[in-house]
Amino acid sequence: MRSRLGSAVSEAQIDWWTNELMGKTGKLAAYSASASRIDMELADELPRITAPTLIVTTQESGLQSVEAVERYAKRFPDARVIVLPGDSYHIAAVEPELCARHALGFMARVSGRGATTPARAAE
């Protein structure tokens, strides 16, 4: 789990991730999610995502390089990439407050430029 969560996380965070979050996932749900992802290739579908999209990654993510993330982001019509220090590829689990602040700032900027927000769309 350290390779997923990164070198800076505490043993308590690893314990929470392993035993509280992931360990309590139903076996069928975990298997089904993993099995469905094996042959899934979504890169060609990214341009269909028209909502403004925030992608948060880390400098040394073990999942993909920053360059790969930026290449994928270019396939979205409206994406922004934020690169945080660290080596986690589950950065929202490791730094939830920081990621939430970035997400809130992103949503404020998007709504400030005239994009339709969910509240307005429901009116």
Side-chain angles (χ1 to χ4, degrees):
M1 290 300 125
R2 183 156 304 281
S3 64
R4 291 175 178 263
L5 300 177
S7 60
V9 298
S10 67
E11 290 302 318
Q13 285 175 296
I14 290 176
D15 181 62
W16 168 80
W17 179 268
T18 305
N19 299 313
E20 295 300 316
L21 182 66
M22 301 305 285
K24 291 184 178 179
T25 300
K27 289 179 184 176
L28 180 59
Y31 174 78
S32 297
S34 294
S36 68
R37 177 64 183 105
I38 289 172
D39 294 325
M40 191 180 298
E41 181 52 56
L42 300 175
D44 291 338
E45 303 300 321
L46 298 179
R48 296 179 59 200
I49 299 173
T50 59
T53 304
L54 176 64
I55 303 168
V56 182
T57 190
T58 58
Q59 292 171 334
E60 301 295 326
S61 169
L63 192 57
Q64 294 185 44
S65 67
V66 171
E67 294 78 20
V69 171
E70 289 172 343
R71 277 194 309 273
Y72 278 111
K74 289 178 182 174
R75 302 195 69 180
F76 289 76
D78 188 4
R80 177 169 184 228
V81 175
I82 294 178
V83 180
L84 300 176
D87 57 1
S88 170
Y89 62 89
H90 287 302
I91 191 61
V94 174
E95 295 284 353
E97 293 87 7
L98 178 59
C99 290
R101 283 195 306 272
H102 281 294
L104 290 170
F106 177 77
M107 288 183 275
R109 281 188 294 279
V110 167
S111 65
R113 67 177 191 211
T116 303
T117 62
R120 290 185 189 137
E123 293 177 357

